[in-house]
Amino acid sequence: MAAFSRGVTSFLHPHAFRLPSTLRATLLNTRLQATRALPPTRQFSASILRRYAAPSRSSYVQADPVLRSVIQTHQPVLLYKEPPRNNYLMKVYAWATVTTGIGLYNFYWVSVLPEGLSFFVAPTYIVIGIAFCAIGIHIYQRPVRRLATLEVVPGYRGGRLQLRLTGRKEPWAKDQVIETDIFNATISEKTGPMLAEIVEANRARQQSITQGLEHLSIPLKVWEIMARWVEQKWTSFFLRFKFAVLQFGIIHVEVDGVKWKIDCTGYLREQGAAVDRILPVE
């Protein structure tokens, strides 16, 4: 029994499962070779990815004349500059003050209405007052986060091109400068169609009301001139309201989740084509 127990013990001992030395050497060499072969495989895969991913952006940069100019000259290129700020602020705050004043004046009239009027008169004044006050507050917020300039600047120590934004979060604050990767910014819409509509709006407001009336008689000419004058003034008022209240002509540039405003009535390089090429639409 003792011999049998020693045999069982030796059979169950872990060392009893060792393979012959020749097999162990073969398996060990195979494992070492496989382990040493893994890092080169990863490096090769990474190099393949870099080879196919890198040229896409570099070729895009070289194909654009503005970006290529920044790389060659190492000088910033201006893409956008806002219109004169003081005139803009005066117009915006004038519209906002007038609109808010009309709303507050409606509230005043509610308190001085004579008795005996219909039940809907006072609520009508209140609704009109609330609407005008809301429009005025909305106009007051228009100069917030407004860009002064938008530039493409060379990267630091030959790095990637950067986009430099200069603007104010509030009209009374100091200019804030933000630099970000050129591929990290987006725009809300293209500037080309917006500029075309702005040009057409300016043409309609500045068009001569006497053009093409030489062949008409005096009474018809007077009537046509009066009709054109009324139409032009109404169109001008509607366009001003559209610019002031609906913020027509404003495009947003989003950087790191923050939206900045571009006024398309200002300077845009290549009539906005440069911005449309460089910045994608979100």
Side-chain angles (χ1 to χ4, degrees):
M1 292 297 292
F4 176 76
S5 62
R6 285 196 302 271
V8 172
T9 304
S10 63
F11 176 76
L12 296 177
H13 198 274
H15 294 283
F17 290 99
R18 286 185 176 178
L19 296 174
S21 59
T22 56
L23 291 177
R24 289 202 310 270
T26 303
L27 292 176
L28 182 60
N29 291 335
T30 305
R31 183 177 298 177
L32 289 176
Q33 291 176 2
T35 305
R36 292 172 182 172
L38 286 177
T41 303
R42 289 195 298 269
Q43 293 176 1
F44 177 75
S45 301
S47 64
I48 289 294
L49 291 176
R50 286 194 298 268
R51 182 183 302 174
Y52 284 97
S56 59
R57 288 190 173 183
S58 62
S59 60
Y60 168 77
V61 171
Q62 292 296 332
D64 191 277
V66 174
L67 303 182
R68 188 170 62 250
S69 173
V70 176
I71 294 176
Q72 293 174 352
T73 62
H74 300 285
Q75 296 294 328
V77 173
L78 183 65
L79 298 179
Y80 161 78
K81 185 177 181 180
E82 68 172 343
R85 181 175 295 176
N86 293 333
N87 295 336
Y88 169 79
L89 292 178
M90 289 179 59
K91 293 179 181 179
V92 168
Y93 287 132
W95 269 92
T97 303
V98 170
T99 308
T100 308
I102 293 174
L104 296 176
Y105 199 65
N106 277 270
F107 292 141
Y108 166 76
W109 272 105
V110 173
S111 61
V112 297
L113 285 176
E115 297 181 358
L117 296 177
S118 301
F119 69 94
F120 60 84
V121 175
T124 301
Y125 275 98
I126 293 175
V127 171
I128 294 175
I130 293 174
F132 272 91
C133 287
I135 292 173
I137 294 173
H138 177 71
I139 297 175
Y140 274 121
Q141 295 177 350
R142 184 169 181 179
V144 176
R145 289 195 178 93
R146 181 180 172 88
L147 282 182
T149 58
L150 181 66
E151 302 171 282
V152 178
V153 297
Y156 180 69
R157 291 185 177 180
R160 287 183 179 179
L161 297 179
Q162 300 290 307
L163 198 67
R164 180 190 295 165
L165 298 87
T166 305
R168 296 182 179 182
K169 288 187 175 181
E170 294 84 16
W172 56 84
K174 294 182 179 180
D175 285 337
Q176 181 179 355
V177 179
I178 301 173
E179 289 192 3
T180 183
D181 191 282
I182 196 171
F183 297 102
N184 193 32
T186 59
I187 55 177
S188 58
E189 58 182 300
K190 295 294 185 181
T191 62
M194 185 75 69
L195 284 174
E197 194 167 350
I198 291 174
V199 170
E200 180 62 24
N202 292 332
R203 186 199 63 79
R205 284 189 295 185
Q206 298 173 1
Q207 186 177 10
S208 176
I209 60 176
T210 60
Q211 184 178 0
L213 301 180
E214 294 80 6
H215 63 285
L216 296 179
S217 60
I218 294 179
L220 291 178
K221 184 181 295 186
V222 172
W223 177 262
E224 185 65 23
I225 289 175
M226 292 177 60
R228 288 185 178 184
W229 183 82
V230 172
E231 182 182 2
Q232 189 179 57
K233 294 303 179 183
W234 169 250
T235 303
S236 179
F237 171 79
F238 174 75
L239 292 175
R240 292 181 186 277
F241 181 84
K242 186 177 180 181
F243 275 94
V245 179
L246 304 180
Q247 297 194 13
F248 176 75
I250 298 296
I251 288 178
H252 295 90
V253 178
E254 184 172 353
V255 177
D256 297 331
V258 180
K259 292 184 177 181
W260 296 84
K261 298 175 182 177
I262 285 182
D263 190 347
C264 291
T265 59
Y267 166 78
L268 283 166
R269 190 179 187 87
E270 300 177 11
Q271 300 298 319
V275 175
D276 293 344
R277 286 196 315 267
I278 296 172
L279 301 182
V281 178
E282 60 181 353

